[in-house]
């Protein structure tokens, strides 16, 4: 669905989009990098407003968010387009597509909220593709969600502009940010993007009291060196050692089928580096039957929330959010 966009300026017939840090300059009749924003006779339009390619009722753990209403359901929507072009994207069929290539369903914000409530969801998430790519829709929906006591979630690469982040932050409760590594070379060569805006947005989200969890997909030969892992841990720890950090296993995808899956030993090494670096909550993901997705007390190491995939098998946390064994305060939102 086509709708007039926000966050842009006019430049002598060209339009400068401000929704993400690409700041695309778009000629008449053309679209920006994401292919979802068009200069139509001097006005910028969002081409995918309310156009949902993917709709699901997910466990909040699937985002992954482990410290934000654990065990709850989140009404999850995705659209089309991305401001990155990662050759290993697991959702490439929608993130790298044009609108005419994918069948979509129109779900206006009012219907999305209604469906979330009917499905007993505690939150609504914009995920599967980069949520900033249908920013106007997520912004309108987030405001409406808060009117109906629904929490709101972005699953994002963190490359939104400061203008869009400031605009949506009063209505955004949580975000899982995919921090792909700490190498500018990685971001430039694999994502055609820059690292610094992502780091800055993580800091801003934290300062704006948005609940943050960070995911790092560990790819053999690209961002799995000890130096790379230590650098990432040091950055996150410098913001807040209480931020949950997820190291997830890479599987061959899209244009990187030649790269093998991440060895479990590498993920365990990353987890150990993070714990030794002072991080309190560190998880290992995409490894079936792993102990790495359980929430442990950072003080006594007692298992507090036991997970099997996206399901919670046991939760021994008290309502006061204290460890039943040692009484330590656990940083989690119920």
């Amino acid at each position: 669905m086509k709708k007039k966009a926000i966050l842009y300026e006019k430049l002598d017939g060209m339009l400068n989009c401000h929704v993400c840090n690409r700041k695309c300059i778009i000629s008449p009749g053309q679209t920006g990098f994401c292919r979802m924003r068009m200069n139509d006779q001097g006005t910028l339009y969002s081409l995918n407003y309310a156009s949902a390619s993917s709709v699901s009722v997910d466990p909040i753990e699937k985002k992954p968010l482990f410290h934000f209403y654990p065990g709850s359901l989140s009404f999850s929507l995705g659209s089309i387009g991305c401001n990155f072009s990662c050759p290993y994207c697991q959702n490439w069929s929608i993130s790298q597509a044009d609108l005419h290539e994918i069948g979509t369903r129109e779900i206006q914000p009012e219907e999305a909220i209604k469906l979330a409530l009917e499905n007993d969801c505690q939150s609504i998430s914009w995920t599967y593709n980069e949520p900033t790519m249908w920013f106007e829709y997520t912004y309108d929906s987030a405001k409406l969600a808060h009117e109906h006591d629904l929490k709101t979630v972005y699953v994002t690469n963190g490359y939104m502009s400061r203008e869009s982040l400031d605009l949506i932050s009063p209505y955004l409760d949580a975000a899982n940010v995919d921090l792909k590594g700490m190498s500018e070379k990685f971001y430039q060569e694999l994502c055609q993007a820059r690292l610094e805006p992502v780091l800055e947005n993580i800091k801003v989200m934290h300062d704006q009291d948005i609940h943050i969890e960070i995911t790092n997909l560990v790819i053999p030969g690209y961002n799995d060196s000890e130096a790379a892992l230590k650098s990432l841990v040091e950055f996150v720890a410098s913001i807040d050692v209480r931020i949950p950090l997820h190291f997830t296993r890479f599987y061959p995808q899209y244009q990187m089928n030649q790269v093998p899956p991440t060895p479990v030993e590498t993920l365990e090494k990353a987890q150990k580096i993070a714990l030794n670096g002072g991080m309190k909550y560190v998880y290992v993901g995409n490894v079936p039957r792993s102990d790495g997705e359980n929430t442990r007390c950072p003080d006594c190491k007692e298992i507090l929330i036991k997970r099997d995939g996206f399901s919670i098998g046991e939760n021994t946390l008290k309502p006061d959010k204290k460890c039943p064994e040692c009484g330590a305060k656990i940083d989690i939102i119920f």
Side-chain angles (χ1 to χ4, degrees), residues 89-331:
C89 180
Q90 65 176 359
N91 291 325
W92 62 270
S93 61
I94 60 173
S95 70
Q96 305 303 314
D98 289 311
L99 272 172
H100 67 274
E101 298 174 329
I102 300 291
T104 60
R105 168 185 172 187
E106 183 177 316
I107 302 180
Q108 292 292 334
E110 295 79 8
E111 184 184 358
I113 302 308
K114 180 174 178 287
L115 289 169
L117 295 172
E118 287 177 351
N119 284 280
D120 297 322
C121 295
Q122 199 158 358
S123 62
I124 184 167
S125 295
W126 300 283
T127 176
Y128 309 131
N129 76 308
E130 171 53 41
T132 315
M133 297 304 92
W134 55 345
F135 179 77
E136 292 80 3
Y137 177 75
T138 65
Y139 176 62
D140 291 346
S141 300
K143 289 193 292 183
L144 193 59
H146 273 197
E147 293 176 11
H148 290 80
D149 296 323
L150 276 173
K151 302 301 180 184
T152 57
V153 176
Y154 257 23
V155 180
T156 175
N157 59 30
Y159 211 61
M160 68 282 288
S161 67
R162 180 62 187 270
E163 296 101 308
S164 59
L165 181 53
D166 285 346
L167 196 58
I168 202 169
S169 63
Y171 311 102
L172 188 61
D173 297 300
N176 184 289
V177 181
D178 182 6
L179 178 55
K180 299 176 184 299
M182 294 297 290
S183 163
E184 190 67 46
K185 180 180 178 182
F186 183 104
Y187 269 84
Q188 289 180 0
E189 294 185 357
L190 272 73
C191 312
Q192 297 184 40
R194 294 180 295 120
L195 169 62
E196 189 55 39
V198 180
L199 302 183
E200 181 60 28
N201 280 336
I202 290 172
K203 295 175 186 176
V204 172
M205 287 183 193
H206 181 266
D207 291 344
Q208 292 177 339
D209 292 326
I210 296 169
H211 173 80
I212 307 172
E213 302 193 23
I214 291 175
T215 295
N216 176 232
L217 181 69
V218 183
I219 306 175
Y222 288 87
N223 63 354
D224 62 338
S225 69
E226 186 168 337
L229 296 170
K230 282 184 176 180
S231 179
L232 187 142
V233 168
E234 288 169 1
F235 167 74
V236 180
S238 72
I239 299 173
D240 194 334
V241 295
R242 299 171 298 173
I243 294 174
L245 178 56
H246 303 257
F247 291 108
T248 59
R249 192 180 195 189
F250 167 87
Y251 288 98
Q253 296 278 354
Y254 190 27
Q255 297 171 346
M256 285 180 62
N257 284 317
Q258 78 285 1
V259 180
T262 317
V264 175
E265 295 78 11
T266 302
L267 298 169
E268 292 172 343
K269 178 182 74 173
Q271 184 182 41
K272 185 176 181 179
I273 288 171
L275 291 171
N276 289 341
M279 298 301 299
K280 291 184 176 293
Y281 310 104
V282 188
Y283 299 99
V284 168
N286 287 351
V287 181
R289 297 176 297 278
S290 167
D291 179 59
E293 294 192 327
N294 297 329
T295 296
R296 292 179 177 271
C297 172
D299 287 1
C300 72
K301 312 308 177 187
E302 179 76 8
I303 293 179
L304 305 173
I305 301 178
K306 194 167 187 177
R307 296 182 178 86
D308 182 10
F310 301 129
S311 300
I312 288 182
E314 186 179 1
N315 185 347
T316 63
L317 263 178
K318 297 179 179 180
D320 60 6
K321 304 178 188 176
K322 290 184 178 179
C323 172
E325 280 295 312
C326 70
K329 182 77 172 180
I330 306 303
D331 303 287

